[in-house]
Amino acid sequence: MSKVSIAVLASGRGTNFEALVHATRRPDTNGEVRLLVANIPDAPVLKRAEQEHVPAAIIPHRQFKTRAEFERALIAELNHHNINLVCLAGFMRILSPVFVAAFENHIMNVHPSLLPSFAGLQGMQVHEAVMAAGVKVTGCTVHFVNTDVDAGPIIVQRAIAVRDVDTPESLALRVLVEEHLAYAEAVKLFCTGRLRVQGRRVRVAGNEGTTGA
């Protein structure tokens, strides 16, 4: 079985990018991160790509007059590298239906909450909202991307308890650990051909009769 060719789209620090690179280098994953695409020319993730020896492309969205032009350039770059799976890792752009259709059920995102709760929020906003709501359990979700924000079919979720001593900052750090693990699991399931999307649900081959992915 040939390895699945993966591209990561990122705009910021790139901790999830780095975690995915390390995870896919394990022999049982059957995938390889072959490209990083950043839309911010000085994004710190570019340094991580250099350190990990992953080819990087910079496609600054501000250089395009329209989102459609930007996405056409993005799609062309991904097709040039024969990308099979697109992983969003702090990519601060809403993708249009045209882009989603070009890679239908082949785009993943990780969100720092247990979706559908706290959808539509970004970064620290999520953890601040979690603390303000007084919920006892939070976590992260890896999902396929569709045309609705944070609403695609859920692949993997990991949960942690919200501690009385937590702050939004401490919670963000603990959830990030779970993001790295959840994303690696979801990508491995995809790359080993175990995921099937059926409507709103993602079925995991080999998990029939179990209670989770």
Side-chain angles (χ1 to χ4, degrees), residues 1 5-6 12 14 22 25-26 34 48 87 90-91 118 128 140 151 165 172-173 183 194:
M1 183 185 296
S5 182
I6 302 167
H22 292 172
R25 286 174 177 165
R26 298 170 190 151
R34 292 178 177 163
R48 293 182 190 266
C87 292
F91 188 62
F118 307 103
E128 290 170 350
C140 65
V165 296
L173 290 172
Y183 223 158
R194 295 182 61 196

Side-chain angles (χ1 to χ4, degrees), residues 32-75:
E32 182 180 2
V33 177
R34 292 178 177 163
L35 179 67
L36 167 75
V37 180
N39 65 311
I40 306 295
D42 59 351
V45 67
L46 291 165
K47 183 65 175 178
R48 293 182 190 266
E50 181 182 354
Q51 292 170 343
E52 296 293 344
H53 306 290
V54 174
I58 303 172
I59 306 179
H61 64 276
R62 296 184 186 278
Q63 292 186 4
F64 298 88
K65 293 182 179 179
T66 66
R67 180 169 66 168
E69 290 180 1
F70 167 68
E71 289 192 352
R72 281 197 293 270
L74 189 55
I75 290 170

Side-chain angles (χ1 to χ4, degrees), residues 130-213:
V130 165
M131 297 294 295
V135 300
K136 300 299 184 183
V137 177
T138 188
C140 65
T141 304
V142 181
H143 62 95
F144 283 117
V145 174
N146 63 12
T147 55
D148 297 317
V149 177
D150 298 332
I154 292 171
I155 305 167
V156 173
Q157 291 184 304
R158 292 181 66 90
I160 61 171
V162 179
R163 300 168 179 165
D164 291 340
V165 296
D166 267 322
T167 64
E169 290 76 17
S170 69
L171 202 56
L173 290 172
R174 293 200 294 119
V175 170
L176 184 60
V177 173
E178 304 304 320
E179 288 182 42
H180 294 168
L181 296 171
Y183 223 158
E185 180 183 353
V187 167
K188 180 179 177 180
L189 290 171
F190 181 96
C191 292
T192 53
R194 295 182 61 196
L195 299 182
R196 297 289 182 273
V197 180
Q198 297 179 348
R200 294 285 306 149
R201 301 196 65 179
V202 177
R203 305 287 186 179
V204 180
N207 280 2
E208 293 81 0
T210 66
T211 57

